[in-house]
Amino acid sequence: VYYNMISDRVELKSTNPTLANAYKVILNSVFGKLKYRYSKLYDLDSFYNVTLTGQLLMLKLCEMLDEAGYKIVYINTDGLMIESDGTEKYKEVCEKWCDMYSYILEYNDVHRAWIRDVSNYILDMGDYVVSKGDFDISPGKRNNAYHRIVWLAIHEYLRNGTPIEDTVKGSTNIEDF
């Protein structure tokens, strides 16, 4: 059931994003329970096997992409970003890797990226923006390092070129400060 959910989730992303996201939460929760001492799924050996295997396989994919001439821009435990040459030739390398290790990859086009570190970034996806960590400006979200207005101003500057000062002075929401 678990493995079927992985492949089903990939297909659902284009037809039913809400259900795909629910699958993602379930899949990640099961993995997280492997490390939770009070869970019936607790199994540290399995947790570390999954983690280390994933990291080593990601490193192998990076090596293959590098050998094919692609520049690795960003990598974390479950994803990577390359600088594309405008073609999709990188997918040939990725498909070879998928065949070698029986994995399914997902692809996203990122137009621009602002990355502070692996847990804090903004990705311009063209039609929408993805934010993580301190850059996440979701309503009601309190950021760890600074008040929300800082990240709102950064978003506005990076996405629209709005001067930082204009966003700060133009804000009427006291909760952002």
Side-chain angles (χ1 to χ4, degrees), residues 1 4 7 10 17 22 30-31 33 42-43 53 55 64 68 74 102 111 115 123 142 146-147 159 162:
V1 171
N4 288 339
S7 57
V10 173
V30 169
F31 169 71
K33 293 294 183 186
Y42 179 69
D43 184 348
T53 299
Q55 290 173 345
M64 292 170 66
Y74 170 87
S102 300
H111 296 262
I115 303 169
L123 303 178
R142 299 305 299 178
Y146 301 99
H147 298 289
R159 281 289 281 156
T162 306

Side-chain angles (χ1 to χ4, degrees), residues 22-174:
Y23 276 32
K24 178 180 180 179
V25 170
I26 293 167
L27 294 166
N28 286 342
S29 296
V30 169
F31 169 71
K33 293 294 183 186
L34 293 174
K35 192 176 180 185
Y36 182 58
R37 172 183 311 215
Y38 302 105
S39 169
K40 290 185 186 254
L41 298 176
Y42 179 69
D43 184 348
L44 273 182
D45 287 341
S46 292
F47 174 81
Y48 287 117
N49 282 337
V50 169
T51 303
L52 292 173
T53 299
Q55 290 173 345
L56 290 171
L57 291 175
M58 188 64 64
L59 184 59
K60 179 62 177 174
L61 179 56
C62 286
E63 178 184 55
M64 292 170 66
L65 288 164
D66 181 63
E67 288 172 355
Y70 289 97
K71 178 182 175 186
I72 308 297
V73 175
Y74 170 87
I75 182 171
N76 65 20
T77 55
D78 62 355
L80 62 88
M81 185 184 303
I82 63 168
E83 192 173 285
S84 175
D85 58 1
T87 69
E88 292 193 350
K89 291 181 182 177
Y90 66 90
K91 286 188 178 179
E92 294 173 17
V93 175
C94 293
E95 292 305 318
K96 180 178 179 183
W97 178 87
C98 287
D99 290 342
M100 289 169 61
Y101 299 107
S102 300
Y103 271 74
I104 300 170
L105 291 177
E106 299 174 41
Y107 303 94
N108 293 299
D109 291 329
V110 176
H111 296 262
R112 299 182 298 171
W114 299 275
I115 303 169
R116 186 178 78 194
D117 55 47
V118 296
S119 299
N120 298 279
Y121 55 77
I122 301 171
L123 303 178
D124 176 359
M125 308 301 283
D127 296 335
Y128 62 97
V129 173
V130 174
S131 303
K132 184 174 179 183
D134 287 335
F135 293 133
D136 184 354
I137 58 170
S138 303
K141 168 84 168 144
R142 299 305 299 178
N143 303 91
N144 292 332
Y146 301 99
H147 298 289
R148 190 167 185 268
I149 191 65
V150 173
W151 308 111
L152 288 169
I154 290 171
H155 267 263
E156 282 300 310
Y157 175 74
L158 295 176
R159 281 289 281 156
N160 305 314
T162 306
I164 301 286
E165 186 174 318
D166 289 357
T167 302
V168 174
K169 288 184 175 181
S171 177
T172 58
N173 185 352
I174 192 68

